[in-house]
Amino acid sequence: MYARRRQVYFAMMGTCLALFVLAWGVVRLWSVPVAVGMCVVAMVIPPLAAMVANRRGPDDRWWDDPSGDPKSDEWWNELDGRRRP
């Protein structure tokens, strides 16, 4: 899961970089409004890439993993309404 998310993240960021470089290196010679539009699209990609990279998968567990401190874990279990076996 992690490797797949990482690959998608790098593909999205590579696309962002390519759009930006192509917009001002090539496309602006023919149409500045299209180049600006490409930059606007490139501007939207990094936040989406961060959301994709930080998304939890079905196998990712972090909210209910024990912290290692028995007193803290007991306290959180009590708050969550769970009893220790």
Side-chain angles (χ1 to χ4, degrees):
M1 277 307 255
Y2 176 72
R4 176 90 173 137
R5 286 192 312 243
R6 197 171 82 191
Q7 289 172 352
V8 171
Y9 172 80
F10 283 118
M12 290 176 78
M13 292 306 290
T15 302
C16 173
L17 188 59
L19 279 172
F20 185 75
V21 169
L22 285 173
W24 296 112
V26 178
V27 176
R28 73 171 172 88
L29 300 173
W30 288 281
S31 175
V32 172
V34 172
V36 170
M38 288 173 68
C39 284
V40 168
V41 171
M43 178 182 69
V44 173
I45 293 175
L48 295 176
M51 285 187 262
V52 166
N54 291 315
R55 182 180 60 210
R56 284 193 310 269
D59 297 334
D60 296 340
R61 295 179 61 207
W62 61 271
W63 61 91
D64 58 352
D65 284 343
S67 68
D69 179 18
K71 188 169 186 165
S72 174
D73 292 339
E74 183 180 332
W75 184 76
W76 281 108
N77 286 337
E78 182 181 335
L79 281 178
D80 291 339
R82 292 187 289 179
R83 297 280 177 220
R84 284 180 64 189

